[in-house]
């Protein structure tokens, strides 16, 4: 029921205060009539719902046509949405009387020091991904990495040098992706013995023989993952009450 002909964002980064983002939206009725906040027609429009993430972003203020709105009266903040409940007078498709809504948010500053970084003990000279999409089975992704020691020495899995290398940790998302298998140099690894799966990481604990910087004896590790198929029907969609002509 809404159109958003324009969206403007101002991003200000302050070392001590964090990042402050001011977002201004022009909002318009999604038909050729004019909607007055005091008329019955306004009650037929649902609240305006905007996506967000209250766990990482703090909402400082919301204004409409220059007036500051009141939290829990004119708008409601949920963990992942901002819902503006205050009725608004909306212009028609000529742009007359568009409502202007501005949100100001902030994120806390994050201190990152040079001492927080360390060279990785591993190099990954190449990564190859094969993506196979099956309507009934979902998407199966096979990822193959070549892994190398990050110096000019050769590391043998059976030597003491191998014990000085930490496990290889790869990022992932176990809530949406299912790990089917992990292989190293053609051998299938055993879960909870050779590797450990956490909600957002895959940690390969099995020691590996690694080549030096010439590429001799690089280890080859392959992971196979799948995502469940998602059925999306035409009936799942409905016209939005808003338009956003620009962002």
């Amino acid at each position: 029921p809404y159109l958003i002909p324009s969206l403007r964002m101002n991003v200000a980064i302050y070392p001590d205060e964090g990042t402050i983002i001011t977002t201004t939206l022009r909002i318009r009725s999604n038909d050729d009539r004019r909607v007055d906040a005091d008329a019955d027609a306004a009650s037929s429009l649902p609240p305006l719902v905007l996506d967000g993430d209250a766990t990482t972003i703090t909402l400082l203020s919301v204004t409409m046509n220059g007036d500051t709105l009141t939290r829990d009266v004119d708008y409601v903040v949920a963990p992942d949405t901002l819902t503006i409940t205050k009725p608004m007078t909306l212009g028609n498709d000529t742009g007359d009387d568009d409502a202007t809504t501005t949100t100001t948010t902030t994120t806390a500053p994050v201190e990152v020091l040079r001492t927080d970084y360390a060279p990785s003990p591993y190099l990954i000279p190449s990564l190859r991904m094969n993506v196979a999409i099956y309507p009934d089975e979902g998407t199966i992704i096979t990822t193959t990495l070549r892994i190398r020691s990050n110096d000019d020495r050769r590391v043998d899995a059976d030597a003491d040098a191998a014990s000085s290398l930490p496990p290889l940790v790869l990022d992932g998302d176990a809530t949406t992706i299912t790990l089917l298998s992990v292989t190293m140099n053609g051998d299938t690894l055993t879960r909870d013995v050779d590797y450990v799966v956490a909600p957002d990481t895959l940690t390969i604990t099995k020691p590996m023989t690694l080549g030096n910087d010439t590429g001799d004896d690089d280890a080859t590790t392959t992971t196979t993952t799948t995502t469940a198929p998602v059925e999306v029907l035409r009936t799942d969609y409905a016209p939005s009450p808003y338009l956003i002509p620009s962002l």
Side-chain angles (χ1 to χ4, degrees):
Y2 301 95
L3 299 179
I4 300 184
S6 67
L7 182 152
R8 186 174 70 251
M9 299 181 71
N10 181 73
V11 180
I13 302 174
Y14 301 98
D16 298 326
E17 302 173 34
T19 301
I20 297 178
I21 303 174
T22 303
T23 307
T24 301
L25 302 88
R26 281 180 52 218
I27 305 171
R28 184 177 302 172
S29 171
N30 192 13
D31 58 28
D32 58 1
R33 65 186 169 87
R34 185 177 181 277
V35 179
D36 196 296
D38 299 324
D40 291 340
S43 63
S44 66
L45 294 177
L48 173 61
V49 181
L50 305 173
D51 292 336
D53 184 356
T55 61
T56 58
I57 299 174
T58 301
L59 182 64
L60 300 179
S61 66
V62 180
T63 67
M64 184 182 294
N65 297 331
D67 297 326
T68 300
L69 303 189
T70 303
R71 183 170 181 144
D72 297 329
V73 176
D74 300 319
Y75 65 91
V76 178
V77 178
D80 55 0
T81 58
L82 164 65
T83 302
I84 299 177
T85 56
K86 180 179 175 66
M88 53 185 108
T89 295
L90 296 180
N92 55 22
D93 60 359
T94 65
D96 299 333
D97 299 323
D98 286 353
T100 301
T101 301
T102 300
T103 63
T104 302
T105 59
T106 185
T107 58
V110 178
E111 185 177 48
V112 180
L113 304 178
R114 174 179 277 181
T115 53
D116 295 333
Y117 294 93
S120 171
Y122 302 97
L123 297 178
I124 300 183
S126 69
L127 181 151
R128 186 174 70 252
M129 299 182 71
N130 181 72
V131 180
I133 301 174
Y134 302 98
D136 298 327
E137 302 173 34
T139 302
I140 297 179
I141 303 173
T142 303
T143 306
T144 301
L145 301 88
R146 281 181 52 219
I147 304 171
R148 184 179 301 173
S149 171
N150 191 12
D151 58 27
D152 58 0
R153 64 188 172 87
R154 185 177 181 278
V155 179
D156 196 295
D158 298 324
D160 291 340
S163 63
S164 66
L165 293 178
L168 174 63
V169 181
L170 305 173
D171 291 335
D173 184 356
T175 62
T176 59
I177 299 173
T178 301
L179 182 65
L180 300 179
S181 66
V182 180
T183 67
M184 183 183 294
N185 297 332
D187 297 327
T188 300
L189 303 189
T190 302
R191 183 170 180 144
D192 297 328
V193 176
D194 300 319
Y195 66 91
V196 177
V197 178
D200 55 0
T201 57
L202 164 63
T203 302
I204 299 177
T205 56
K206 180 180 174 66
M208 52 185 107
T209 295
L210 296 181
N212 55 24
D213 60 358
T214 65
D216 298 334
D217 298 324
D218 287 352
T220 301
T221 300
T222 300
T223 62
T224 302
T225 58
T226 184
T227 58
V230 178
E231 184 178 42
V232 180
L233 305 176
R234 173 178 273 179
T235 52
D236 293 334
Y237 293 95
S240 169
Y242 303 92
L243 295 180
I244 302 182
S246 67
L247 185 154

